[in-house]
Amino acid sequence: MDNKLLEIENLKTYFFTDSGRVPAVNGVDLFIREGETLGIVGESGCGKSVTSLSVMRLLAHTPGRVVDGSIRFAGMDLLSLPESKMREIRGNEIAMIFQEPMTSLNPVYKIGDQIGEAVRLHLKYDKKKARERVIQMLKLVGIPRAEEIVDEYPHQLSGGMRQRIMIAMAMSCEPKLLIADEPTTALDVTIQAQILDLMRKLKEERGTAIMLITHDLGVVAEMCDRVVVMYAGKVVEEADVFDIFENPKHPYTQGLLHSIPKLRRKTERLQSIPGNVPTPGNMPSGCKFAPRCSHAMDVCREQEPDLLQIASGHRCRCFLYQNDLAKEA
Ligand code: SF4
């Protein structure tokens, strides 16, 4: 299947700070097919969000800059497009929702005006048609009293309602790709389930591909077709969702899975991964996971493993499997 909608190759995004160059994303390769949901998982600071901001070219207000690699979306090279074209793509073809909707909703504009502006801009609707479209979208995401809410301000709504508004805004122009960065982390469990249901429904009904960034493997199990595991600015494992849960290969992925309570038998003790994610300015040499890995060998501290295919659709960055491959060769 080669219906790739988004293809990222060797992406490097560095932050330039007073204390030097910090590689937040350091050679990421991943792709998303049309209509599929890709989960990007890893602990905080592993480069998930910086990858998505690089795709959206929303690094201007940070000290970050893409220094190498390519990002292709629907046949376009996003990194070389003029900003005016990128503005058309943002919202229209790629939309993004964040953990905290208030960072994206403008508190001084009514809900209807905010979503309506995106609709008028991207779909070239007049004011009346845009308002009708907004009410239709609010109903679609399960907002009650849509005809009244359209004239209310974000602060008048609950957190769950605001997240729905964000999804309505993101989906109003029927994007080909929705990037959802921890969309349910700040919500209680019931609202979280409703929002995930909503995203699934929108994907099924409209064929939208989703890049779902989360540290929550429970959400991944429910939502994703394929999973990319990131560690220290790189992809360390990639496989379909079934393989990731049933046959995880990378010791980091195994550690993440062992730290989920509901996947363990009651008699087994929950294990957390020892140590912390290294800070981008202070990376160990060799495999970046070596200081936390119980399988680490001498070679792991000296050389960095490549991300290699170990089975169909399954890639892993670990010497344990590269030695296997070498033995087989
Ligand atoms: Fe562990 Fe070595 Fe594999 Fe890194 S390469 S994850 S240190 S076994």
Side-chain angles (χ1 to χ4, degrees):
M1 279 197 293
D2 194 27
N3 50 349
K4 290 176 184 165
L5 178 65
L6 178 78
E7 195 163 14
I8 299 176
E9 282 181 1
N10 192 34
L11 180 69
K12 294 185 180 174
T13 303
Y14 292 177
F15 282 68
F16 294 87
T17 67
D18 291 344
S19 37
R21 199 187 65 167
V22 175
V25 170
N26 203 9
V28 160
D29 292 286
L30 61 85
F31 65 88
I32 303 181
R33 296 189 184 100
E34 285 168 12
E36 87 171 339
T37 300
L38 176 77
I40 303 189
V41 301
E43 293 160 285
S44 299
C46 65
K48 309 179 299 261
S49 296
V50 178
T51 301
S52 67
L53 291 174
S54 304
V55 172
M56 295 294 272
R57 282 187 26 191
L58 287 175
L59 293 160
H61 301 296
T62 73
R65 205 169 70 224
V66 174
V67 296
D68 201 1
S70 70
I71 302 174
R72 297 193 65 77
F73 171 77
M76 291 174 283
D77 174 0
L78 291 190
L79 295 179
S80 63
L81 289 180
E83 182 51 32
S84 56
K85 179 69 185 164
M86 197 61 213
R87 262 199 303 273
E88 279 177 30
I89 288 174
R90 261 186 240 120
N92 204 8
E93 298 197 45
I94 309 178
M96 190 159 180
I97 55 178
F98 301 91
Q99 178 176 343
E100 179 35 76
M102 280 311 270
T103 54
S104 311
L105 294 173
N106 190 326
V108 300
Y109 286 110
K110 290 176 183 169
I111 301 297
D113 292 340
Q114 301 200 38
I115 307 179
E117 191 186 311
V119 169
R120 283 204 301 279
L121 187 73
H122 294 300
L123 299 181
K124 316 274 184 252
Y125 281 9
D126 63 26
K127 224 175 161 181
K128 183 166 175 284
K129 210 168 158 201
R131 185 181 168 91
E132 286 166 6
R133 169 83 175 157
V134 172
I135 292 172
Q136 180 199 9
M137 288 308 297
L138 293 180
K139 287 181 177 167
L140 186 74
V141 298
I143 299 273
R145 305 185 295 110
E147 287 85 355
E148 293 165 41
I149 295 278
V150 77
D151 292 317
E152 292 184 5
Y153 292 91
H155 73 266
Q156 294 176 274
L157 306 174
S158 67
M161 291 273 268
R162 286 199 291 256
Q163 197 59 297
R164 283 166 190 261
I165 301 282
M166 278 268 293
I167 295 179
M169 192 150 78
M171 300 306 291
S172 60
C173 303
E174 302 195 357
K176 292 193 179 100
L177 173 65
L178 175 68
I179 299 178
D181 190 349
E182 303 279 6
T184 57
T185 304
L187 304 174
D188 71 44
V189 181
T190 317
I191 307 291
Q192 174 173 330
Q194 289 171 4
I195 297 289
L196 294 179
D197 265 354
L198 181 60
M199 285 172 57
R200 210 182 289 117
K201 193 167 139 213
L202 291 170
K203 175 198 165 180
E204 279 161 15
E205 287 176 3
R206 292 165 187 250
T208 306
I210 301 175
M211 180 194 281
L212 180 59
I213 297 168
T214 180
H215 67 277
D216 185 336
L217 284 164
V219 170
V220 169
E222 265 187 62
M223 297 288 291
C224 298
D225 302 304
R226 275 190 314 119
V227 183
V228 156
V229 181
M230 285 188 68
Y231 188 77
K234 292 183 190 249
V235 174
V236 295
E237 186 159 6
E238 176 204 325
D240 71 40
V241 70
F242 183 80
D243 265 358
I244 283 287
F245 282 90
E246 289 300 315
N247 193 18
K249 293 293 188 190
H250 197 281
Y252 179 57
T253 313
Q254 292 168 353
L256 288 177
L257 288 166
H258 280 126
S259 54
I260 311 177
K262 62 186 171 190
L263 293 183
R264 310 284 297 165
R265 288 197 203 97
K266 274 183 192 153
T267 49
E268 286 178 292
R269 284 185 57 200
L270 202 61
Q271 295 163 15
S272 61
I273 306 172
N276 296 308
V277 178
T279 52
N282 197 16
M283 287 289 168
S285 57
C287 171
K288 306 300 172 246
F289 189 61
R292 306 175 72 187
C293 180
S294 59
H295 303 283
M297 304 166 279
D298 288 346
V299 63
C300 307
R301 298 183 191 90
E302 288 152 15
Q303 293 173 36
E304 176 134 39
D306 292 324
L307 182 64
L308 294 184
Q309 176 137 335
I310 55 168
S312 174
H314 197 150
R315 297 195 297 166
C316 184
R317 186 188 293 280
C318 176
F319 284 123
L320 290 174
Y321 309 99
Q322 297 185 13
N323 288 343
D324 278 1
L325 293 175
K327 271 182 228 151
E328 281 170 25

